[in-house]
Amino acid sequence: MSKKPQYDPEEIRYPNQHIEVSPLVPEMEKSYIEYAMSVIVGRALPDVRDGLKPVHRRILYAMYEDNLTADKPFKKSATCVGDVLGRYHPHGDASVYDALVRLAQDFSMRYMLVDGHGNFGSIDGDPPAAYRYTEARLSKISDEMLRDIEKDTVDWDPNFDETRKEPKVLPSRFPNLLVNGSSGIAVGMATNIPPHNLTEVINATICVLDNPEAELCDLMEHIKGPDFPTKGIIMGRSGIRAAYATGRGRLCVRARTEFEEFGKDRTRIIVTEIPYQVNKRMLIKNMADQVEDKRLDGISDIRDESDRNGMRIVIELKRDANPQVVLNRLFAQTQLQTTFAINMLALVEVNGKLQPRILSLRHILDEYIAYQEQVIIRRTKYDLKKAQERAHLLEGLLIAQDNIDEVIHIIRSRYDDAKEKLMERFSLDDVQAQAILDMRLKALQGLDREKLENEYKELEARIAYFQQLLGSEEMLRGVLKDELIAIRDKYGDERVTEIQDVEDEIDIEDLIEEEECVFTLTAGGYIKRLPASTYKTQRRGGKGITAMATKEEDYVDTVFTASTHDFILFFTNKGRVHRKKGYQIPEAGRMAKGTNLVNILPVESGEKVTAMIHLREFPEDRYLAMVTRNGTVKRIQLSAINTARKAGIRCITLDEGDELIAVRETDGDQAILIATHDGMSICFKETDVRCMGRDACGVRGIKLREGDYVIGAARAKAGHQVLMVTENGYGKRTDMDEYIRSDGPQNRGGYGLKGYNVTEKTGPVVGVKVVSDADDILVINDAGVIIRMAVSGISTYGRAAQGVKLMNLDEGVKVISFARTDHEDEETAQEEEMPSSDASVSTPSEPVVE
């Protein structure tokens, strides 16, 4: 008996439909990530370029469109809100009005961007009046936020119904992100940037323009710290420095108080300024509640005597109360002293897409300067185009003026084809001929040649200036500097928030314990910091412990050791160098994959870190020896790369197809050892390479045979050994004497000597280090496993030996790198070492020696 066919009723009703089956979990993950990014970019976080969220940007631009500038009459806030909703922001009217109100509050904004008329709320927490009662217009300083927007200075997007365009970002001719700050909560992240003094921020921006190598200490000579609109006192500078250095920090903000005598032997505390974002009414209520609950003693009365002349909170004390003790209790138990947590998170444009980034002070200034340079370039191109078009028209008008009678005759007698006749007779183009025809005959007859020539000469001078400006970065920065100075002189004022020094204040580095750490970098660009003590010493031949969890397509590429207080210099394959402190690299667990480098360094697409060194300072008598994959070597003074520039600096100019692979610090009188993939090596005096500038290319260090390439370089030290490790886990030590002839090192530029007997069993060489018996090494394979062992446990053999087994490898696994670190006490290590069932610590077979 045949089965009845099963029909889907939906397929019968809709025969052309197609149902796509999608697993629930991946679909939810994808949708949530898209939602999160939409909130992050489209609502909650400010853009580093103009310091505005989309709603604030739309409010300012909609008011600008309606010509609601500071020199025009006020208009109802309801009109402004309606225009924003109808044109650009299809959300709730309350959210738009709340955003507009904040832009007009003198206790929220250090420099108000909207000029409000009516009740816009108070520091007591009173709500603003409804938008049908209040009026608003742009403030004077908002002119600088929107200046030149009509000159093609910014990019535009279609609005929600594609009926008009809205700016992606405003020109923002002053650094608004720092000046007015921002706060917001997105999905999984939040930002809280304090406001600053306009004069100080512009002075710091000019400092970076004048000195691109300016460091944090130089910037903090100008920017003392946040400058809150409610004034107050910031206690200490360590939190400020931490925030400016790392993007995160905590400030202690205290109210301004004074003691006042009254009556007979009575004292009262007068509060004239309170911390930023504190509700005065709630503050007074909280103090009164604590007095009533007996949690605050010595207070007889609290009242608010604030008026239009300023804030005045009066706290009367009992006759027997100690004023300083009561004040200290108030600071400890009420919002007369608060903590402001700084988190400088903003959107940064990376490869055309906005991405959230935690930014240091220097990073914010660098992003702003780069953006303003683009604004000036685009404005100049616009002005140049307009000037050239006008000059072109003037050339036609001058021709017409020289032949005015004939031109008028042509226009009158041949009206239908006058344009073609003018173009043919006087060699005019279509634009010039049309401009002549568009003029009335009376105006055409009244053309003044002298005025035309004077205007033409002025235009020629302007065109020459614009072309010169576009071709000179120095002139461009000069224009930016002059415009910033003009804004500073027009709108700048004195700071209102005081910063008091605190005795025994702890700096950010004092809060971070100095320790030796292992820094691990994967081929996919993930880096992490982990204490070196995590990897206990094991015997050679073991399998090691897992250093980190990686994706299937990723593997650990580089490992090195440094202190948390050292400078870490990151050299990329494209010849650039970036600088960070060790503690600025996020610490992660042993199995964590770490943080992607793009969140720490501004690396370009296709750029990766290939060499790293650590140091404490940049002395004049120290050098860097750089070696490339194709065997080029270059020597540069260490002080030449002492820079904190966000984008890093170029340290070597590379030939096409070449990469920087190794960098070593030297004292100017050392020998450099270079090793290759096929086991060749060369050792020569570093003085054979003259000291060069940052943009130099270098000279040949070793001559390579076909298919060979450099895998590493080291400093040759007397009494030490050369340690080489191969891809299949073999390695050996060789006395340095075997690389240095009796008459001294070799000459650079030759093929060198055989340093390792590379066979199918050993595999090619993956790294070289100069070591001593006092060292340990960390060997890492592409499965992410690290083994730590004492160098003294590795036997010493000649240059042509194959070495011994250092690490047992599973099938298909290869050693990709190794690093030298300080020796760990073996007794302590053995006490803490946990035996593993799969450790398979084996005694290696006898090495093969030629």
Side-chain angles (χ1 to χ4, degrees):
M1 184 175 179
S2 62
K3 293 184 179 179
K4 293 178 66 177
Q6 298 295 319
Y7 296 104
D8 187 342
E10 292 296 317
E11 290 184 2
I12 297 174
R13 291 173 57 195
Y14 305 105
N16 296 324
Q17 75 174 1
H18 174 68
I19 299 175
E20 184 72 33
V21 178
S22 177
L24 179 62
V25 173
E27 187 66 31
M28 289 295 293
E29 289 178 350
K30 176 177 176 292
S31 299
Y32 188 77
I33 289 173
E34 290 176 354
Y35 158 73
M37 288 306 299
S38 172
V39 172
I40 289 167
V41 175
R43 294 193 191 183
L45 298 186
D47 193 302
V48 69
R49 297 169 291 182
D50 63 3
L52 298 174
K53 300 176 187 177
V55 63
H56 299 123
R57 188 177 302 120
R58 288 164 175 169
I59 288 170
L60 295 182
Y61 182 65
M63 295 177 76
Y64 174 80
E65 272 190 317
D66 291 338
N67 207 25
L68 283 178
T69 51
D71 56 344
K72 300 296 189 302
F74 288 96
K75 186 176 284 190
K76 285 289 185 182
S77 300
T79 303
C80 304
V81 172
D83 289 342
V84 173
L85 292 177
R87 297 175 190 169
Y88 308 115
H89 200 73
H91 300 284
D93 58 341
S95 63
V96 175
Y97 186 51
D98 288 345
L100 185 146
V101 164
R102 187 180 185 278
L103 295 177
Q105 291 176 334
D106 59 356
F107 53 89
S108 296
M109 303 288 288
R110 183 63 179 84
Y111 300 88
M112 294 176 291
L113 299 179
V114 169
D115 188 4
H117 188 215
N119 174 17
F120 276 79
S122 72
I123 198 170
D124 287 324
D126 298 317
Y131 53 53
R132 61 182 177 274
Y133 299 118
T134 61
E135 297 178 335
R137 66 184 178 189
L138 293 174
S139 64
K140 289 184 179 179
I141 200 170
S142 287
D143 291 343
E144 306 301 333
M145 291 293 295
L146 293 145
R147 180 156 57 92
D148 299 329
I149 195 171
E150 73 284 353
K151 292 187 176 182
D152 192 33
T153 52
V154 297
D155 292 328
W156 301 76
D157 273 338
N159 68 339
F160 61 90
D161 60 0
E162 298 187 357
T163 57
R164 57 176 69 220
K165 297 283 188 179
E166 63 173 312
K168 287 184 176 180
V169 62
L170 298 186
S172 185
R173 305 318 308 279
F174 64 92
N176 183 59
L177 182 65
L178 287 172
V179 168
N180 276 318
S182 184
S183 62
I185 300 174
V187 181
M189 58 184 68
T191 184
N192 200 28
I193 303 173
H196 292 78
N197 183 268
L198 176 69
T199 301
E200 293 182 356
V201 172
I202 289 181
N203 286 341
T205 308
I206 293 172
C207 173
V208 176
L209 288 171
D210 291 339
N211 177 21
E213 312 299 328
E215 298 188 0
L216 181 59
C217 57
D218 301 316
L219 300 180
M220 290 191 67
E221 289 181 5
H222 302 284
I223 301 181
K224 308 300 181 184
D227 193 23
F228 299 112
T230 54
K231 306 179 183 180
I233 302 169
I234 298 174
M235 307 302 294
R237 301 177 190 274
S238 61
I240 299 172
R241 182 178 177 83
Y244 290 170
T246 66
R248 288 193 176 101
R250 300 177 71 84
L251 306 181
C252 178
V253 186
R254 180 177 287 184
R256 185 176 296 279
T257 60
E258 58 187 37
F259 296 125
E260 188 179 279
E261 301 296 330
F262 77 104
K264 186 177 181 181
D265 300 329
R266 296 284 299 277
T267 303
R268 55 191 174 199
I269 300 171
I270 308 298
V271 181
T272 57
E273 301 168 8
I274 60 175
Y276 185 51
Q277 295 178 333
V278 169
N279 184 312
K280 177 161 66 71
R281 180 182 296 163
M282 297 304 297
L283 169 66
I284 295 173
K285 183 179 184 301
N286 179 258
M287 289 191 293
D289 289 344
Q290 291 197 49
V291 171
E292 187 176 344
D293 295 341
K294 307 298 184 185
R295 286 180 287 162
L296 280 174
D297 297 327
I299 297 175
S300 61
D301 187 29
I302 302 174
R303 62 181 179 271
D304 186 5
E305 296 182 356
S306 304
D307 56 21
R308 66 180 58 191
N309 295 320
M311 184 181 296
R312 180 180 168 88
I313 303 173
V314 179
I315 305 170
E316 292 188 356
L317 307 184
K318 296 178 180 178
R319 196 180 305 275
D320 58 345
N322 184 320
Q324 192 59 54
V325 171
V326 174
L327 182 59
N328 289 342
R329 293 290 300 276
L330 286 169
F331 285 145
Q333 295 178 217
T334 73
Q335 284 190 305
L336 284 182
Q337 178 173 300
T338 63
T339 298
F340 187 93
I342 298 176
N343 188 29
M344 298 203 291
L345 179 72
L347 296 174
V348 178
E349 191 173 39
V350 180
N351 297 327
K353 293 184 179 180
L354 292 177
Q355 297 182 5
R357 291 281 187 274
I358 297 227
L359 307 171
S360 65
L361 176 63
R362 177 60 195 266
H363 195 166
I364 291 176
L365 293 177
D366 283 342
E367 290 287 348
Y368 177 76
I369 289 172
Y371 171 60
Q372 284 303 304
E373 287 178 349
Q374 287 303 310
V375 167
I376 294 175
I377 288 172
R378 293 179 66 159
R379 181 189 67 188
T380 304
K381 288 181 177 178
Y382 179 89
D383 289 339
L384 175 61
K385 180 182 177 183
K386 291 295 183 183
Q388 289 173 334
E389 290 174 354
R390 179 59 183 168
H392 185 62
L393 286 179
L394 287 178
E395 290 172 356
L397 293 178
L398 285 169
I399 293 173
Q401 202 278 337
D402 289 340
N403 304 275
I404 188 65
D405 293 335
E406 187 176 355
V407 168
I408 293 174
H409 176 72
I410 291 173
I411 295 174
R412 284 177 170 173
S413 62
R414 305 190 59 172
Y415 183 79
D416 293 336
D417 60 345
K419 182 194 288 189
E420 289 75 11
K421 186 63 177 177
L422 287 174
M423 293 169 61
E424 179 184 347
R425 173 64 183 85
F426 301 111
S427 300
L428 303 175
D429 63 15
D430 185 83
V431 174
Q432 292 171 321
Q434 188 62 48
I436 294 171
L437 290 175
D438 289 342
M439 295 182 69
R440 293 183 178 180
L441 288 179
K442 185 176 180 180
L444 195 59
Q445 286 177 318
L447 286 176
D448 187 334
R449 182 173 183 83
E450 186 177 352
K451 287 184 179 179
L452 292 176
E453 287 181 341
N454 289 339
E455 184 182 357
Y456 187 72
K457 288 178 181 178
E458 290 176 5
L459 284 172
E460 282 188 319
R462 290 183 63 195
I463 289 170
Y465 168 73
F466 291 147
Q467 291 173 337
Q468 187 180 7
L469 180 59
L470 291 173
S472 171
E473 186 176 354
E474 185 178 350
M475 280 186 65
L476 201 70
R477 290 189 162 227
V479 169
L480 175 56
K481 178 179 176 181
D482 292 341
E483 293 182 355
L484 286 171
I485 291 173
I487 294 173
R488 179 195 67 188
D489 294 344
K490 185 175 181 180
Y491 300 102
D493 56 7
E494 298 295 326
R495 71 175 294 114
V496 295
T497 300
E498 181 185 348
I499 301 175
Q500 288 187 1
D501 293 323
V502 177
E503 190 175 352
D504 300 326
E505 186 178 16
I506 300 174
D507 196 18
I508 179 175
E509 291 199 4
D510 297 327
L511 300 174
I512 299 171
E513 180 183 357
E514 183 169 5
E515 61 177 341
E516 191 77 4
C517 290
V518 176
F519 294 80
T520 309
L521 178 67
T522 74
Y526 287 87
I527 190 170
K528 70 172 182 176
R529 170 170 58 93
L530 195 61
S533 57
T534 303
Y535 306 108
K536 299 303 176 185
T537 306
Q538 303 169 45
R539 297 179 181 87
R540 66 177 178 83
K543 296 194 70 171
I545 62 174
T546 301
M548 69 193 303
T550 60
K551 298 179 181 178
E552 290 184 5
E553 66 274 11
D554 199 8
Y555 60 88
V556 176
D557 184 59
T558 307
V559 60
F560 65 100
T561 60
S563 165
T564 51
H565 288 196
D566 284 350
F567 284 112
I568 310 296
L569 298 181
F570 296 85
F571 295 84
T572 73
N573 59 330
K574 294 187 177 180
R576 299 190 68 83
V577 57
H578 303 269
R579 188 178 84 178
K580 291 288 182 183
K581 279 282 193 175
Y583 61 78
Q584 291 179 301
I585 307 301
E587 184 174 352
R590 184 168 62 84
M591 293 299 296
K593 69 178 181 179
T595 303
N596 198 304
L597 268 178
V598 298
N599 295 315
I600 302 173
L601 303 176
V603 292
E604 300 173 357
S605 177
E607 187 176 14
K608 63 179 182 177
V609 173
T610 55
M612 291 170 272
I613 66 171
H614 61 92
L615 42 83
R616 278 299 174 92
E617 52 189 14
F618 295 81
E620 295 286 341
D621 59 347
R622 303 290 290 181
Y623 303 86
L624 291 177
M626 291 176 271
V627 180
T628 74
R629 178 185 175 91
N630 291 348
T632 299
V633 63
K634 174 182 174 179
R635 196 160 66 101
I636 188 175
Q637 225 173 355
L638 184 59
S639 58
I641 62 168
N642 182 13
T643 177
R645 290 183 65 181
K646 180 270 301 182
I649 58 172
R650 181 170 298 283
C651 58
I652 184 173
T653 299
L654 299 169
D655 295 332
E656 187 175 354
D658 202 1
E659 292 185 348
L660 179 64
I661 61 156
V663 181
R664 295 292 178 266
E665 183 187 358
T666 70
D667 59 9
D669 191 29
Q670 291 182 327
I672 303 298
L673 175 72
I674 299 176
T676 76
H677 177 262
D678 291 345
M680 298 303 293
S681 61
I682 192 170
C683 184
F684 54 86
K685 291 182 179 179
E686 69 168 290
T687 51
D688 288 354
V689 182
R690 64 178 178 83
C691 201
M692 307 175 194
R694 288 196 291 109
D695 293 329
C697 298
V699 295
R700 177 181 290 177
I702 185 171
K703 190 180 294 184
L704 301 172
R705 293 182 173 87
E706 186 176 354
D708 199 6
Y709 57 89
V710 174
I711 49 86
R715 295 165 297 183
K717 300 178 183 177
H720 287 60
Q721 298 89 35
V722 176
L723 174 62
M724 290 188 183
V725 176
T726 70
E727 202 174 75
N728 292 341
Y730 286 81
K732 67 180 176 67
R733 286 189 296 164
T734 305
D735 288 333
M736 186 63 69
D737 294 341
E738 294 204 32
Y739 291 89
I740 303 177
R741 303 175 306 200
S742 58
D743 58 344
Q746 307 163 58
N747 294 322
R748 69 166 180 85
Y751 286 107
L753 306 170
K754 178 174 283 190
Y756 204 103
N757 183 24
V758 172
T759 64
E760 185 177 351
K761 176 182 177 181
T762 65
V765 179
V766 297
V768 61
K769 293 280 187 292
V770 173
V771 297
S772 69
D773 288 341
D775 295 327
D776 282 0
I777 63 167
L778 297 164
V779 182
I780 190 162
N781 63 36
D782 56 12
V785 176
I786 285 181
I787 184 171
R788 180 171 182 161
M789 67 189 75
V791 168
S792 57
I794 303 173
S795 301
T796 301
Y797 298 103
R799 287 188 294 101
Q802 288 186 0
V804 296
K805 190 78 168 179
L806 302 183
M807 188 178 197
N808 285 333
L809 301 172
D810 295 331
E811 186 176 353
V813 177
K814 303 292 183 183
V815 171
I816 48 90
S817 181
F818 76 99
R820 183 185 60 82
T821 187
D822 294 334
H823 181 61
E824 185 184 63
D825 183 57
E826 189 173 348
E827 294 181 2
T828 304
Q830 288 177 352
E831 289 175 5
E832 298 184 12
E833 185 177 358
M834 297 291 293
S836 175
S837 59
D838 62 346
S840 67
V841 178
S842 59
T843 303
S845 57
E846 285 298 317
V848 180
V849 182
E850 280 190 356

